[in-house]
Amino acid sequence: MNLLLDMKTIFITLVCGNFFTVFLISAYWQQHKHNKTLNTFFAAKCIQAIAWLFLTIRGGIPDIFSISLANSLLFVGLSLEIASVLLLLQVFSKRVKKFYIYLTLINLIGFHIIILFYNLENVRIAFASIGSAIVIILPTYKLLFQQSSTPLKKVLGTLYFLILFSLIFRGISALNDQAMGLFTPSITQSLSFLSLYLSMILGNIGFILLLKERADEELIKLSKYDDLTNALNRRSFIEQSKQYLIHYQKIQKPVSLLLFDLDHFKQINDQHGHEVGDRVLKDIASHIFQQMTQDGLFGRYGGDEFAILLPNTDENQSSIFAEKMLNSKKVYTLEEMSVEYSLSIGVITVVPTENISMESLYVICDKALYDSKNAGRNKVSRRYYETLEAIG
């Protein structure tokens, strides 16, 4: 059985595949023109499609287009595709961006040095293969081993690993076979380009699925978190707090609930505007996050009222935590403007039982918060859980 494939046929399928990808993404892109990740991937596919087209018609056009320009476009297109994947994974920092710019320049310069001084096709193939393999090492690692890696990411990471292996194998084979050329039929070439074609199809689908997964994650985050402060919203805070109460009831360990709000917050909005008021809320939330324990819950109940649940925290520990909230900045000040604000805090500590609900804890803790208000504000007050009848 003949396993050798016609290289030009494979190249034509690569051209068609990339152009169809561009066509489909362009229809979606019309409504997402400001999506940096999608724009980067779209540009990558456009560039790759043109590059493969130049390679397909090699011999009918000057070598400067079919060799120099085509391979340059492939290097750039691959780097842009990898950049879009890293953007999706939220690891495309300035440092990573610089690394890929330098790596792309090294690939481009190195390839053209070979053309000028050692223009053998097998050497060009080896360099292009190894250079491309280096480009995809980082996303392969991140997809497979990132802490938040999902099953979809692991599957796509495995695909990138197979491409990485295929490129290295092709590069080594080219160095050991001086007769290897782009259109030279061989088992190595057939398997390499067949894997490249399959990876293009699966990679394009995988990217779109990753984009969808990211959008789903953002929707879930919006449903659970306050978009201004990144604290849990009221519903999520209550739901998770109830689970904590059930767990700590079983192990008979204390939990502490803190309610706090900003003193005279309405005056801040009236005097400086709601935009400044929002910045104040973000500022205090930032300070609270810095003090939170890893397993604590921080939520926004609404307006300027926030709640903190501290598991396995007794009265003394919760009092220290609350006082620290006040003493870290007795009067909080935004750096950009002279807006001063303070906190009033209510605290309650219980060892959960079947009769203690989140709702009843909130009612008592809210009374403690008003005790702080009535005592002159910028204070911590504590109340105790006795019986439900005592709440009234």
Side-chain angles (χ1 to χ4, degrees):
M1 183 174 65
N2 187 5
L3 296 177
L4 301 183
L5 302 176
D6 180 64
M7 292 296 104
K8 285 206 172 186
T9 302
I10 295 179
F11 286 176
I12 291 172
T13 60
L14 288 169
V15 173
C16 293
N18 280 292
F19 272 123
F20 275 121
T21 300
V22 168
F23 176 75
L24 291 173
I25 292 179
S26 63
Y28 179 78
W29 176 78
Q30 293 299 319
Q31 295 180 328
H32 301 79
K33 292 182 179 180
H34 301 295
N35 188 316
K36 183 178 180 181
T37 302
L38 186 62
N39 289 342
T40 305
F41 188 74
F42 181 77
K45 291 296 140 180
C46 289
I47 292 171
Q48 289 172 4
I50 295 171
W52 287 114
L53 178 62
F54 283 153
L55 287 172
T56 302
I57 56 179
R58 177 183 291 185
I61 58 174
D63 285 351
I64 191 173
F65 293 107
S66 63
I67 297 178
S68 176
L69 181 58
N71 282 280
S72 297
L73 290 175
L74 283 178
F75 281 129
V76 173
L78 178 60
S79 293
L80 286 174
E81 181 177 345
I82 295 308
S84 66
V85 173
L86 295 175
L87 281 168
L88 262 181
L89 298 177
Q90 296 181 303
V91 294
F92 196 64
S93 62
K94 289 183 179 180
R95 183 178 179 183
V96 173
K97 182 179 180 180
K98 286 183 179 179
F99 170 78
Y100 273 95
I101 291 175
Y102 293 145
L103 181 59
T104 304
L105 289 174
I106 290 171
N107 281 336
L108 292 173
I109 294 170
F111 188 82
H112 285 87
I113 288 175
I114 292 174
I115 291 177
L116 291 173
F117 300 105
Y118 202 71
N119 194 19
L120 296 177
E121 190 165 10
N122 70 306
V123 178
R124 297 199 308 266
I125 290 173
F127 182 88
S129 299
I130 301 299
S132 298
I134 295 172
V135 171
I136 66 175
I137 289 176
L138 181 59
T140 302
Y141 175 81
K142 291 294 184 181
L143 286 164
L144 287 173
F145 302 110
Q146 196 177 37
Q147 189 173 4
S148 59
S149 187
T150 62
L152 175 60
K153 291 176 182 177
K154 290 185 182 297
V155 169
L156 194 57
T158 302
L159 173 64
Y160 272 104
F161 177 77
L162 293 175
I163 298 172
L164 178 64
F165 177 81
S166 175
L167 286 169
I168 293 175
F169 177 74
R170 181 170 182 259
I172 295 174
S173 298
L175 287 176
N176 294 325
D177 183 3
Q178 294 184 0
M180 179 181 285
L182 190 65
F183 298 117
T184 303
S186 68
I187 294 296
T188 300
Q189 288 281 71
S190 296
L191 292 177
S192 296
F193 282 104
L194 182 60
S195 66
L196 186 61
Y197 173 74
L198 292 175
S199 66
M200 178 199 67
I201 300 298
L202 296 176
N204 293 345
I205 296 172
F207 177 84
I208 298 301
L209 289 176
L210 272 183
L211 199 64
K212 177 65 168 57
E213 185 178 66
R214 171 77 180 276
D216 290 343
E217 289 173 353
E218 290 178 350
L219 287 174
I220 291 173
K221 183 178 180 180
L222 286 174
S223 70
K224 290 185 176 183
Y225 294 89
D226 174 57
D227 58 349
L228 177 66
T229 62
N230 286 325
L232 292 167
N233 60 33
R234 179 171 183 155
R235 178 176 58 82
S236 296
F237 180 85
I238 292 174
E239 288 179 355
Q240 294 188 36
S241 295
K242 287 180 178 179
Q243 296 301 315
Y244 273 47
L245 292 180
I246 293 172
H247 174 71
Y248 282 89
Q249 175 192 333
K250 293 178 180 178
I251 63 176
Q252 284 295 286
K253 296 289 185 180
V255 298
S256 294
L257 176 66
L258 289 76
L259 286 181
F260 71 90
D261 65 14
L262 279 74
D263 297 325
H264 305 298
F265 183 63
K266 185 176 183 302
Q267 293 181 14
I268 295 176
N269 281 331
D270 292 342
Q271 293 176 10
H272 302 281
H274 288 278
E275 181 180 353
V276 174
D278 286 347
R279 293 174 70 181
V280 170
L281 294 176
K282 291 173 67 175
D283 184 70
I284 186 59
S286 175
H287 286 293
I288 298 303
F289 275 122
Q290 292 174 16
Q291 298 180 40
M292 288 294 297
T293 58
Q294 186 174 2
D295 52 353
L297 299 178
F298 176 40
R300 184 183 181 189
Y301 259 63
D304 63 319
E305 186 177 52
F306 295 85
I308 297 173
L309 189 76
L310 299 175
N312 198 24
T313 305
D314 59 24
E315 290 185 12
N316 183 55
Q317 292 169 321
S318 59
S319 294
I320 292 174
F321 184 93
E323 290 294 340
K324 187 178 178 182
M325 288 172 60
L326 297 183
N327 294 333
S328 60
K329 272 191 175 182
K330 193 65 176 178
V331 178
Y332 293 90
T333 305
L334 287 174
E335 295 179 0
E336 299 87 348
M337 60 195 70
S338 57
V339 178
E340 297 182 347
Y341 55 98
S342 59
L343 305 179
S344 293
I345 306 172
V347 187
I348 183 172
T349 300
V350 297
V351 176
T353 66
E354 291 183 359
N355 297 323
I356 295 178
S357 66
M358 190 60 202
E359 291 78 9
S360 60
L361 286 179
Y362 173 80
V363 171
I364 300 174
C365 201
D366 190 49
K367 290 181 178 293
L369 171 59
Y370 276 92
D371 290 341
S372 295
K373 296 286 188 183
N374 295 331
R377 303 179 189 275
N378 196 29
K379 297 183 183 299
V380 177
S381 299
R382 176 180 293 277
R383 284 215 178 188
Y384 299 89
Y385 193 102
E386 296 179 0
T387 63
L388 287 175
E389 290 75 18
I391 295 175

